[in-house]
Amino acid sequence: MSATGGDAPGGHIVSFAPGDVRSQRRVAFVVASAAYGLFRLTSKIRIENPGYLPEKTGAIVAAYHANHLDPILVGLGLWRSGKLPHFLAKSTLFSGPLGIVLKGLGQIPVLRASAQAGDSLEYAKDALAKGEIVVIYPEGTLTKDEHFWPQHFKSGTARLALETGAPIIPAAHWGLEDVKPRGTLRPRFRPLTHTSVVRFGPPIDYQDLWEHREEKSSMTALTKRLTDTIAGMVADLSGRELPARFRTEEADS
């Protein structure tokens, strides 16, 4: 399967050719403008450390996932920092009106529990090679932790990095639980008094793992490193003490 020719999961062809990316950016301008206007009815947005995003090369943005609204917050954080985000999203979203929008934005569908599930990483590799930003939720789903700490990270993010050498930019956020509390359907409207923060961190250093990048232990170590880093960012943003399970020597250094 070629990342530039075949059908992506769900029959959606993903292309990152220059002309297609220009088209995606035109769609993104309209969608992001509308999304920002709607989001601002609920909260102000603060973007921290966008300078960690590379200027010209591709990168993996590994994002904390704790709220149904955080793809909007993270996506707006990237767009307003000059980057077009390409999310890896479950293929069931690529139908109906939402699917039309996601396809127009150049998002990458993931068909879980299927022989095609690995195809999404091939498209992600193509996007990275062309200098695009690929956004992955390492947990693959919303955290179920009652205190909103990250849960088990899957290995896909580490594998993609170790196969491409792309930088991993950790992203965390805080404040969305006050906008849309867990278990509720309707957001709260607090446009003047509340701020939701999205923060980007420095690239995860995994140079020490590169020589043995094909070994499972390297993938496991990088996944743990990423988990602890994002947990540390969440602790800092929320003003809480970092739980012991995330306190590795690497995370504290």
Side-chain angles (χ1 to χ4, degrees), residues 48-126:
E48 296 184 351
N49 305 330
Y52 285 129
L53 299 166
E55 291 188 10
K56 297 181 179 180
T57 62
I60 302 164
V61 171
Y64 168 62
H65 199 15
N67 192 285
H68 287 105
L69 294 181
D70 63 51
I72 299 174
L73 179 60
V74 173
L76 286 173
L78 287 165
W79 177 252
R80 294 177 72 82
S81 301
K83 304 298 181 181
L84 173 63
H86 300 280
F87 285 79
L88 268 71
K90 56 186 178 181
S91 62
T92 53
L93 297 175
F94 288 77
S95 60
L98 177 59
I100 294 173
V101 173
L102 293 177
K103 293 173 185 177
L105 290 169
Q107 307 307 300
I108 303 172
V110 179
L111 194 62
R112 297 175 180 172
S114 164
Q116 291 179 293
D119 290 358
S120 58
L121 290 184
E122 295 303 313
Y123 285 89
K125 289 178 184 178
D126 187 42

Side-chain angles (χ1 to χ4, degrees), residues 195-232:
T195 300
S196 298
V197 182
V198 57
R199 175 182 294 175
F200 300 105
I204 302 291
D205 183 6
Y206 61 95
Q207 185 175 0
D208 58 311
L209 304 175
W210 187 251
E211 183 178 354
H212 303 286
R213 58 188 176 275
E214 296 181 359
E215 297 179 9
K216 185 178 180 180
S217 59
S218 294
M219 194 180 305
T220 300
L222 182 52
T223 300
K224 173 63 173 170
R225 195 172 297 180
L226 178 59
T227 304
D228 294 347
T229 298
I230 290 181

Side-chain angles (χ1 to χ4, degrees), residues 36-53:
Y36 181 75
L38 291 172
F39 194 92
R40 278 294 284 113
L41 294 175
T42 66
S43 174
K44 292 181 281 188
I45 298 176
R46 186 167 76 241
I47 304 165
E48 296 184 351
N49 305 330
Y52 285 129
L53 299 166

Side-chain angles (χ1 to χ4, degrees), residues 15 33 70 184 210:
S15 172
S33 298
D70 63 51
T184 63
W210 187 251

